[in-house]
Structures are given as C-alpha cells and as structure tokens.
Amino acid sequence: MRKIFLVLLITLLTAPLVRSDEGMWIPILIEKFNIEIMQEKGFKLSAEDIYSVNRACMKDAVMIFGGGCTAELISPEGLLITNHHCGYSRIQSHSTLEHDYLTDGFWAMSREEELSNPGLTVTFLKYMKDVTDEATRGVKKRMSEDERSEVIENNIAEIVAGATEGNDYSAFVRPFYMGNQFFLFVNETYRDVRLVGAPPSAIGKFGGDTDNWMWPRHTGDFSLFRIYADKNNEPADYSEDNVPYEPEYHFPISLKGVEEGDFTMVFGYPGGTSQYVPSYHISMLTDYVYPRMIELRGAKLDIIKEAMNSDPGIRIKYSSKAAGISNSWKRWIGEKSGMERLGTIEKKLSFEDDFRNWVDQKRKRSKAYGDILSEYKVLYDSMKEYYLVNSYSTETLGRRGVEAISLAGTFMPLVNAVNNGADEETLQGILDRLSSRLQRFFRNYDRDTDRELFVAMMELYGQNMDEKWQIDAYKELYKACNGNFEMIADDIYSRSVFTDRDKSMQFVNNFDKRLMGQLEADPLYKLAAGVSEMLQGTVREKYIELGSQISMLDRLYMKAQLEFADDEVLWPDANFTLRVAYGEVGGYEPEDGVYYTHYTTLEGIMEKDNPEIYDYDVPDRLKELFYGKDYGRYAQDGKMPVCFIADNHTTGGNSGSPVINAEGHLIGVNFDRAWEGVSSDLMFNPEQSRNISLDIRYALFLIDKFAGAGYLIDEMTLVE
Ligand code: ARG
Ligand code: GLU
C-alpha cells in the first residue's frame, strides 16, 4: 500500500498535470505537455514523429478534406481514405440512374477510371506557430472591445501577409482559449482530388440514421480518393497531365488489430467544443433551446421518414436531407440526456462556487474577476430568448424551414434589385443564379411532403413562438384560417410559384418587372420575407450585441480559469485546427448491468440483416463472403472485425481522422461517437465518452475481396 502511494506521488510530481484521456491537444505543444503521458500509455514514438518542421512526420499525411472532414494518406502515390459520409456528395454527384454509385458503390479499376471532382480540395498544414505577442501588439487595457478587435485584425493581416509572401501557401491566425492566445497556420491546398472507390451505401451507410451516434455499430464508413499534382508535385487545377501526388509521408497500415487497453491516438480537425462555458450556457441549451428544437426536428423527420418509406422515389430525393436533419437532432437528444445523467449543470455550479471562493480570496482577483458570473447571468437571461427566436424562426419559416418558403426567400435579392432600380445585367445575373438553383431544388423536391411540413411547421411556430416574435405574415394567415392550416394548405400550395418546377422556371425565364406584384403577394414569399426582415433587423442587432458581450466575458473567464487551474494544463476548445487526442481502446457500461465490448464484427451485420428495412439490407455479395468465411488475412480469430471504440476525445470534423496505434500505424478511421457520451462537446465523461472508428481491416477486406480492387492494396504499406 505504502509503495503504491509512493509511486502515485512520484508520478504526480513528475508528470505535467493533464487530465488523462480528455482533450484535443495542440500538435506543437505535445512535446511539452503530453508526450510523457502518451508514452506511459504505450505510445512508442516521439513528439517529432507526430509534428515536425524538420522532417517528414504524421502531420504531412493528415488533411482537411473538403469543407469539414479529415482525411489521411495511405500510399506513396497520393491515395487517401476518409469517411463515406464525407465523400457522399461527391459520390452522389457522379451518380445517375444508369450508374448509381451511391447504391452500387464505385471502384476505379485503373487510374484512368478515377473521377475528377471540381471544387474538391485537400489542405495540408505546413507549419503552425504561436503568434500571441505579435497579434496583440498595441492592445491596451483600457481599449474598447471594438478598438481591441481592430488592432488585432490589423496585426493579423500583417502576420498573414508575412507568412504568405513569396510562396503559394495560404495562412490564417486563429484565437485559442477564447482569444487569450493566437496561433498562425500556414497551409498548402491541392485542387485535383479524384474519386477512387466507395462501397455501396448499404455498407458505407449501413444502419443509416437508425444506428447513427450509437454503439454497437456496423457501418463501413469509408471512401477513397487520390490527390493529383503537376509535374513538380505542386498543387494544380485538374488536368489530364497531372500525376499522382507523392507525399512526404503516408501511414503504414497495421493488420495486427486492436485489443482492450491498447493505446490509440486520433489526429485530425475537430470543429468546435464548449468546454469552459458557464452553467448558464448549459441550461440555456438543455432547458430552453434543445427541448423545442428537438420537438421541431422530430416533427419534420416523422413526416419525411413516412414519405420516404412510402415511395422509393421520395427516398432518393430526401435521404440526404433527412440524414442532415437527423444528425444534429439525434445529437441534441443524446447531449441533453447525457448532461442530465452526468449532472453537468450541478458540476458546473459547484465549480462556479469554488471559483467564486478563489476569486474572493484576493482583492486583485476579485476586482478583475468578481463580476464575471453575475454578468453572465444577466446576459444569458436575454440571450436565451434571442437564441431561440433565431433558431426557431430559421428552422420553421426561414432558410432551414419549410422547403418552398426557403426557396421563396432566395428570390429576395431579385425583389430588392428591382426595387433599387438595378440594371439589366445585374438582374440577368440574379435570374441566372435563380434558374440554376431551381434546377437543383426541384430535383429533390416532393410537393405533398412539403405541404405536410408546411402545416406542421405553421402549427408549431404558433405554439412555440411568443406572440411578440410572430411575424405579421404569419398572423394574417392564422387569422384567415383560424389556426387551421390544413384547411388553407392546398390552396396556398397550388397557387404558389415556389411549389412547382415549371411555374417557377417560367417565372424566371420570362421575367418581367410587372410580375413583381404577383411575387410579393405570394403567401410563401411573404412569410420568407417577413422572417428575414425580423431576423436581419432587431433580432440580429441584439443577437450580435449580446454575442459580443458574452465573448468578451468568455475571454476574461477563460483567463481566470487558466489561473485558477494553476498547474493543471487545460486544453483549448476545438476550433477546426489540427489536434491530437489520445486514449485507449475499451468498451463501456451504457447502463447498470450492461457492458458493451470494444469491437463489432460481420456477425453483427448478419444479425441486423433485414431486406425489409432499408438501413439493414445487407448486399448479397457481402453475405456470400460471410458464408464462405473468405476473409483472407484481414480476419481476427476467424471473424471479420468491423468497428471499434476508444476514449479519444473527438467531435464533428474528426470524421475521417486517422486512428493510430502505439507504433504510429493506422488501425482505423474515426467516424462517430457513442450515444451515452455524446455530450463530450460540453463535458467529457471518461466512463462513457467513446469515439467510434472503422476497423481498417474491414476497409481492406472490402477493397480486396468485395470490390476486387486488390491493386489498391498493393500500393499501401501493410504491417503484418
Ligand atoms: N454522426 C456522424 C457525424 O456527426 C455521422 C453522420 C452521418 N451519418 C448519418 N447517418 N447521418 O457526422
Ligand atoms: N460524424 C462526425 C463528423 O462528421 C464525427 C462524429 C463526432 O461528432 O464526433 O465529423
């Protein structure tokens, strides 16, 4: 006992104080804060192997993929892997009725068959640097917030100009710790990225929204792309003359598999977390905003899902939309219940008590930090209302609301241009944009489904939006039908130009200023314009004002929390910059008496198999491979591994991130988090927060055995 105590004491004294597996850490500070802990946990490499500017390292193989995902290089010839849901829109864009790659999958059997993707880019980090001193030079204590921002903005512009002078890199400076620290990021972006392979959706999206955010999971969530460069290995626009990019580093792939307790590390681009907010922020979300938003999206999903189940055509049109609506909806539900279970508010409140006591101990502190929490309280009391009005209006009658209303909203620039007497050329430009928008919109539109959405959204808006926030156009309609929107929906939907492809196209193609009256009298247009006017007006003003007051307090509160933490190192909230998370493979207890193992296998896919349920319809070819146990060298103990979980702290944006073992080899691709711990964006729970990864061996098996694209395996570096 004494000995254990002594060992404990010694590690406590020597190791930097970092909460074990929590956190998304800054690559250049790993050496200082984390590497010892990582090595204690089993990591066999050095901090320089992760991030270095002097030699090839892991960071040279990790990229931002498209707008919001991560990807990693897995061959010396520019081959990369990311999630299926990250490549989804690209796969969809190549799909037609004859070549339905979403349904059937796509595999290039040679370089010539790879498909180019205009607009798709991948971005590498060349280097990063702490520029806090340069960015805040000239900032004075007594400056107003606006003055301070201006000084910093100017400094940043200079830093960025310096970093990009004489090279083709791009650069940005981003605040960390709520604006208490600033880092420069210098990036290189490649613009010719081609689709190489994707499994059918029945594998890449297996389990669909039903299994999303859940464990046990069986989704083969990956797709393959290849980066092309010019003859000098430099970024270039798409050209037939381009050649596969030769990276400085690519990940070797491990076939050894994972065991409970193994070290794992995730290296990617987490989008955003809110770890240091006050209790008021949490209660704004869980007690006020989430319940209403959950009800709202739930109502939408009920309508859309029923329509999708009744008609395969509607399924194709709405599946991507439904996935988008469902993803945050489900996360909100998980976050809310997770925070209740964890007692997040109570924990925050008790932290705030301790914080107050600490502040009160010293006069100087109390002068600097004494009012933070009481000021937060006042601000959040107003903020919660504006936050809700903004989100709720947007999700019902605004940009993300009833589809025909949101389409109507896109005609506002036309109306404004006409009213402001814009010239013919400007008008034609707007009309051209509208015309292509209409093409896209009606490709995935079903009027009856949207009509039902209209009725449901109008009813919920009336019930949940305080009268003082209800727009006039809504009140008028309400009066006209006495609140019975079902009664007027048919009439509105048959008369409006926004519910019919031909009508709206005709309107745009034969546009005449005399038609403006018709547009402005359209009830759907009136709703869209009314909401936009309200949100862009007083609501926005107040929202921005409160937002900037809160972020000022955030900066101060963060500074105080850093001091309060003393020796403990706090990780900065995620902000879509490259981060390292580490931890270990392990199952968890979702509820009393139940234990979830750390991995799933193909057996589980067969258990879920049900041709009647879209999300669980296992492809025949996969069944054949299962019955033949034809797993090649990718099996473990005679079974085909599919997914595994670990306690790496991850969030949205980490999709597609490499999951790396103690040797630095790729063992998986991150794609989700497990339900019970999903509130880790606000508070990490080591008992239940788990990231979900695709086992890389399942991807290799699919490429090799399912798709017969073994030539791709040949270019990878496998470690047996
Ligand atoms: N939950 C994961 C993420 O946040 C996966 C989302 C895509 N899958 C889906 N079924 N909607 O992005
Ligand atoms: N699926 C998420 C993404 O697209 C990752 C899951 C998470 O939020 O942790 O980035």
Side-chain angles (χ1 to χ4, degrees):
M1 187 67 195
R2 280 265 303 270
K3 215 164 162 190
I4 294 178
F5 181 72
L6 209 69
V7 170
L8 258 176
L9 193 72
I10 290 171
T11 39
L12 276 178
L13 285 176
T14 52
L17 282 166
V18 164
R19 270 181 247 169
S20 197
D21 291 343
E22 176 181 328
M24 306 171 188
W25 301 92
I26 303 177
I28 51 172
L29 299 179
I30 292 291
E31 174 78 60
K32 190 164 156 198
F33 295 138
N34 313 94
I35 194 68
E36 278 176 39
I37 300 179
M38 293 171 74
Q39 286 166 346
E40 253 165 54
K41 288 182 146 301
F43 188 51
K44 298 210 173 78
L45 308 181
S46 69
E48 280 249 292
D49 293 316
I50 299 171
Y51 177 98
S52 169
V53 281
N54 303 314
R55 60 174 171 86
C57 61
M58 289 183 202
K59 87 156 197 330
D60 302 321
V62 180
M63 297 144 275
I64 298 176
F65 179 88
C69 281
T70 308
E72 56 277 9
L73 285 159
I74 50 170
S75 96
E77 294 166 84
L79 186 66
L80 70 79
I81 189 165
T82 185
N83 290 147
H84 184 266
H85 78 261
C86 295
Y88 196 84
S89 63
R90 300 298 166 172
I91 307 164
Q92 183 177 37
S93 75
H94 294 294
S95 299
T96 59
L97 280 178
E98 295 82 59
H99 303 284
D100 188 352
Y101 300 139
L102 268 186
T103 306
D104 307 327
F106 169 79
W107 305 98
M109 286 304 166
S110 68
R111 300 269 156 93
E112 289 69 44
E113 286 178 19
E114 296 173 357
L115 299 172
S116 77
N117 300 283
L120 177 62
T121 59
V122 293
T123 297
F124 292 93
L125 174 65
K126 300 309 285 184
Y127 68 92
M128 62 177 293
K129 197 177 152 199
D130 186 340
V131 292
T132 310
D133 291 342
E134 296 94 310
T136 54
R137 185 178 304 135
V139 168
K140 303 255 157 34
K141 266 221 163 90
R142 302 222 168 278
M143 278 181 166
S144 74
E145 196 58 12
D146 284 348
E147 285 167 338
R148 181 183 186 271
S149 305
E150 204 188 312
V151 170
I152 293 181
E153 256 167 52
N154 289 337
N155 290 342
I156 287 180
E158 236 173 79
I159 299 169
V160 166
T164 50
E165 201 184 297
N167 59 46
D168 290 328
Y169 300 153
S170 61
F172 59 82
V173 170
R174 198 152 293 172
F176 282 63
Y177 296 106
M178 312 276 187
N180 284 288
Q181 211 170 337
F182 293 84
F183 282 88
L184 165 71
F185 294 83
V186 177
N187 291 328
E188 184 169 42
T189 296
Y190 282 78
R191 306 186 295 273
D192 184 356
V193 184
R194 304 183 194 171
L195 177 63
V196 174
S201 291
I203 289 174
K205 225 186 153 216
F206 183 78
D209 290 337
T210 319
D211 284 5
N212 191 23
W213 297 116
M214 313 265 251
W215 184 256
R217 189 66 158 276
H218 299 90
T219 313
D221 200 345
F222 79 99
S223 55
L224 300 170
F225 290 78
R226 190 185 304 280
I227 308 171
Y228 280 76
D230 68 13
K231 299 221 155 52
N232 303 318
N233 211 28
E234 303 281 337
D237 288 328
Y238 171 84
S239 156
E240 270 182 35
D241 300 332
N242 286 349
V243 291
Y245 169 63
E246 286 179 22
E248 288 179 47
Y249 188 76
H250 68 274
F251 283 100
I253 297 176
S254 171
L255 291 178
K256 289 186 191 143
V258 293
E259 299 291 348
E260 193 137 30
D262 281 358
F263 171 89
T264 57
M265 162 181 149
V266 175
F267 198 18
Y269 281 86
T273 54
S274 309
Q275 197 71 26
Y276 303 101
V277 292
S279 55
Y280 306 109
H281 184 95
I282 311 269
S283 50
M284 169 177 83
L285 295 181
T286 51
D287 304 343
Y288 199 76
V289 178
Y290 281 179
R292 293 174 172 89
M293 297 302 285
I294 289 168
E295 177 194 43
L296 184 62
R297 284 208 179 182
K300 285 186 190 179
L301 286 165
D302 284 346
I303 292 168
I304 295 176
K305 294 255 148 127
E306 199 186 312
M308 276 167 63
N309 285 335
S310 72
D311 177 346
I314 297 182
R315 172 173 301 282
I316 293 174
K317 289 179 173 170
Y318 279 78
S319 77
S320 182
K321 294 188 223 179
I325 297 171
S326 165
N327 197 38
S328 312
W329 168 75
K330 216 167 159 182
R331 179 170 52 77
W332 294 331
I333 300 175
E335 271 179 356
K336 185 168 154 23
S337 73
M339 288 195 282
E340 280 158 10
R341 209 161 357 93
L342 247 187
T344 302
I345 294 194
E346 291 74 15
K347 287 200 172 117
K348 286 267 178 196
L349 285 173
S350 111
F351 172 82
E352 287 162 12
D353 278 343
D354 295 345
F355 174 77
R356 267 195 211 92
N357 288 336
W358 172 80
V359 167
D360 290 343
Q361 275 165 18
K362 290 234 165 90
R363 225 212 167 106
K364 212 173 130 207
R365 262 185 225 154
S366 133
K367 213 170 143 224
Y369 306 135
D371 297 330
I372 295 179
L373 291 168
S374 53
E375 281 179 25
Y376 264 135
K377 183 177 180 336
V378 175
L379 289 172
Y380 273 105
D381 264 348
S382 312
M383 186 55 160
K384 66 179 189 194
E385 186 162 3
Y386 286 92
Y387 193 108
L388 182 70
V389 170
N390 190 39
S391 310
Y392 211 86
S393 311
T394 307
E395 284 259 349
T396 45
L397 313 183
R399 209 164 28 84
R400 292 159 177 267
V402 178
E403 293 179 90
I405 303 180
S406 88
L407 180 68
T410 63
F411 278 65
M412 282 171 56
L414 179 67
V415 175
N416 294 338
V418 171
N419 290 343
N420 295 333
D423 57 39
E424 285 305 314
E425 202 188 320
T426 313
L427 281 184
Q428 199 48 52
I430 296 177
L431 289 166
D432 291 345
R433 278 194 293 281
L434 282 175
S435 165
S436 53
R437 169 156 327 190
L438 290 173
Q439 306 269 16
R440 270 178 282 135
F441 180 89
F442 283 104
R443 205 178 299 149
N444 290 325
Y445 182 72
D446 179 67
R447 185 159 90 174
D448 290 339
T449 306
D450 194 43
R451 194 203 74 103
E452 280 197 58
L453 282 173
F454 171 80
V455 174
M457 292 304 103
M458 295 297 272
E459 283 173 359
L460 283 169
Y461 180 83
Q463 285 161 26
N464 286 301
M465 241 341 64
D466 195 290
E467 255 193 75
K468 79 167 186 259
W469 295 114
Q470 290 180 8
I471 53 172
D472 290 341
Y474 175 82
K475 289 183 184 159
E476 261 170 47
L477 280 184
Y478 189 96
K479 233 201 233 146
C481 68
N482 211 359
N484 184 351
F485 290 102
E486 187 63 55
M487 206 172 79
I488 52 168
D490 277 335
D491 183 45
I492 290 177
Y493 267 60
S494 60
R495 273 194 300 131
S496 174
V497 289
F498 303 108
T499 54
D500 186 88
R501 187 177 184 281
D502 294 343
K503 258 200 250 171
S504 56
M505 274 301 195
Q506 227 171 24
F507 182 89
V508 166
N509 291 339
N510 308 321
F511 181 72
D512 184 318
K513 284 175 196 159
R514 277 165 302 184
L515 292 174
M516 290 301 286
Q518 182 194 342
L519 193 62
E520 285 177 289
D522 192 302
L524 298 181
Y525 181 82
K526 280 181 162 174
L527 289 167
V531 160
S532 162
E533 196 188 318
M534 182 190 67
L535 292 183
Q536 296 306 319
T538 43
V539 172
R540 192 182 145 85
E541 229 168 75
K542 189 78 188 164
Y543 195 69
I544 290 180
E545 185 194 317
L546 287 168
S548 95
Q549 284 172 310
I550 288 179
S551 60
M552 230 166 87
L553 271 189
D554 286 343
R555 192 173 70 237
L556 193 64
Y557 189 35
M558 189 72 239
K559 181 166 177 274
Q561 289 184 75
L562 286 164
E563 277 173 42
F564 182 43
D566 205 10
D567 281 346
E568 190 190 346
V569 187
L570 304 184
W571 57 278
D573 267 323
N575 57 1
F576 205 55
T577 58
L578 188 57
R579 300 289 181 94
V580 173
Y582 50 83
E584 55 193 65
V585 173
Y588 69 101
E589 235 183 83
E591 56 190 298
D592 188 36
V594 180
Y595 188 76
Y596 282 162
T597 55
H598 66 278
Y599 69 101
T600 56
T601 66
L602 198 47
E603 325 286 305
I605 294 185
M606 297 306 295
E607 283 167 13
K608 284 179 178 172
D609 177 36
N610 185 345
E612 305 283 301
I613 301 176
Y614 182 83
D615 287 343
Y616 296 131
D617 189 4
V618 181
D620 289 338
R621 171 93 190 109
L622 190 58
K623 288 186 196 170
E624 275 167 36
L625 290 165
F626 171 78
Y627 290 121
K629 295 285 173 278
D630 186 5
Y631 303 150
R633 52 183 163 160
Y634 310 115
Q636 180 166 351
D637 306 325
K639 289 184 182 161
M640 186 65 237
V642 173
C643 295
F644 66 90
I645 47 176
D647 64 355
N648 302 287
H649 198 174
T650 54
T651 186
N654 268 128
S655 275
S657 299
V659 186
I660 300 154
N661 68 8
E663 278 83 28
H665 303 155
L666 191 72
I667 48 174
V669 181
N670 186 75
F671 71 94
D672 210 0
R673 276 174 291 158
W675 185 249
E676 292 77 8
V678 94
S679 52
S680 60
D681 283 355
L682 297 135
M683 192 174 272
F684 187 76
N685 171 11
E687 306 292 320
Q688 292 184 314
S689 288
R690 295 290 179 273
N691 66 310
I692 305 180
S693 308
L694 168 77
D695 192 307
I696 197 67
R697 293 170 298 177
Y698 185 47
L700 298 177
F701 156 79
L702 290 168
I703 295 167
D704 188 349
K705 299 285 180 174
F706 180 87
Y711 80 97
L712 291 170
I713 307 276
D714 296 339
E715 64 174 277
M716 303 173 192
T717 310
L718 300 193
V719 184
E720 307 251 2

